[in-house]
Amino acid sequence: MKKFHMSSLTTRLEVAFVGALVVGLSLHYHKIVRNEFYGYPQEWFPSVSATIGDRYPERSLFMLFIAITSGPRFALVGLWYLLTARRGKALPKFVAATGIFRTLACGGFTYVTSTDDHDRHDVFMISYIVATLPWTVGCIALSSPNSRAVKHRKRLAAAFFATIIPMVYLYIQHKVHRVPGAYTKYAFCEWSLIILDVAFDAVTVYDFSSLEIAVRDTQGLSNGSAGTSPCPIQYRDRFTSWERGFIVDEANYPSV
């Protein structure tokens, strides 16, 4: 029996960001905390962009784990659509399209780093944040009103958008007024958005707990000969474990 946990998506994202941060602080601390105006000690904590895009090997580590999470992220969007889609309702389709766009934008600011092209990197990151608004509101609107998930979503969404306000203010203080230390405070807001965003998507574990996907071999192809296999294989995914069961066709086994 092979077990699979939906939390693995969250774990991989945590490894991607936290792993890059730990490696960056260990190997290139003074370099990644420096910005165009100040360095250490005025600035003493790196931004997300500096952590994931400026130096090797933290950049490669981040890219690797983001690539690993891309499949589960697309799967999350698709399964959420299947769970919420209703005939004649356009909102589930819009939310799904927004989710796909967010995932592509995430790939954009991941693989076009601030060192490679600062402007395009910012465009992808801003696009991701902007697309998070309809994704968040849409997911809340499509959630069951009495579910435990919607309560967590509302709290996380409120915290996410509340964090954007001081983040924008601190960025202006850094970029326009060149206030020492403002970028470090901005970096904390940026990292907070990452944590809240990952937590928001992780809440879907409550919604998917009752969803089952079954893939069945109805022709015996898994045994090498179509139509003659006595043991077709059935896979079930309840998002907490994989179950592999062998279904024996009694018609192929005459009683002795």
Side-chain angles (χ1 to χ4, degrees):
M1 181 180 294
K2 180 181 179 181
K3 292 186 178 294
F4 173 79
H5 298 274
M6 278 299 290
S7 59
S8 62
L9 171 59
T10 305
T11 302
R12 292 166 189 170
L13 287 170
E14 290 172 350
V15 172
F17 284 101
V18 177
L21 177 62
V22 171
V23 173
L25 292 176
S26 301
L27 300 180
H28 308 115
Y29 175 71
H30 288 88
K31 293 180 180 179
I32 62 176
V33 299
R34 171 172 290 280
N35 54 58
E36 64 266 45
F37 303 127
Y38 303 101
Y40 182 84
Q42 289 87 359
E43 307 291 357
W44 52 271
F45 197 79
S47 66
V48 174
S49 298
T51 301
I52 67 176
D54 282 0
R55 302 288 171 178
Y56 170 85
E58 52 266 38
R59 176 173 60 184
S60 300
L61 176 68
F62 179 76
M63 288 181 174
L64 172 63
F65 278 95
I66 287 296
I68 293 173
T69 61
S70 61
R73 283 181 68 94
F74 280 116
L76 184 148
V77 174
L79 291 172
W80 179 249
Y81 171 74
L82 293 176
L83 190 67
T84 59
R86 300 291 184 272
R87 183 174 299 178
K89 298 293 184 180
L91 182 58
K93 296 179 181 179
F94 174 75
V95 173
T98 303
I100 294 173
F101 176 79
R102 285 176 75 246
T103 304
L104 295 175
C106 177
F109 72 73
T110 297
Y111 295 101
V112 180
T113 67
S114 57
T115 303
D116 299 331
D117 191 321
H118 188 78
D119 292 338
R120 285 186 172 85
H121 175 82
D122 286 348
V123 168
F124 282 120
M125 183 166 286
I126 293 172
S127 298
Y128 182 88
I129 294 175
V130 171
T132 299
L133 175 59
W135 167 259
T136 301
V137 175
C139 286
I140 293 175
L142 293 172
S143 300
S144 174
N146 298 320
S147 69
R148 180 167 51 171
V150 73
K151 297 178 182 178
H152 291 300
R153 285 196 178 101
K154 288 180 178 179
R155 293 170 183 170
L156 291 168
F160 182 93
F161 293 113
T163 304
I164 293 178
I165 298 173
M167 187 179 76
V168 172
Y169 169 77
L170 290 168
Y171 185 79
I172 294 173
Q173 291 296 303
H174 160 72
K175 198 72 174 179
V176 178
H177 304 292
R178 301 186 180 183
V179 176
Y183 201 68
T184 292
K185 297 175 183 177
Y186 164 85
F188 279 111
C189 292
E190 200 176 28
W191 283 102
S192 297
L193 289 184
I194 297 296
I195 295 172
L196 293 169
D197 184 46
V198 173
F200 183 89
D201 287 342
V203 171
T204 52
V205 68
Y206 295 120
D207 302 289
F208 293 164
S209 60
S210 60
L211 187 65
E212 179 181 287
I213 296 177
V215 180
R216 299 184 180 182
D217 178 4
T218 59
Q219 298 182 355
L221 297 177
S222 60
N223 203 40
S225 56
T228 61
S229 172
C231 300
I233 298 174
Q234 174 177 304
Y235 291 92
R236 290 181 178 177
D237 185 1
R238 288 185 176 274
F239 300 98
T240 56
S241 66
W242 279 85
E243 297 177 354
R244 177 169 179 166
F246 294 92
I247 306 173
V248 178
D249 184 357
E250 295 181 355
N252 293 329
Y253 284 87
S255 58
V256 178

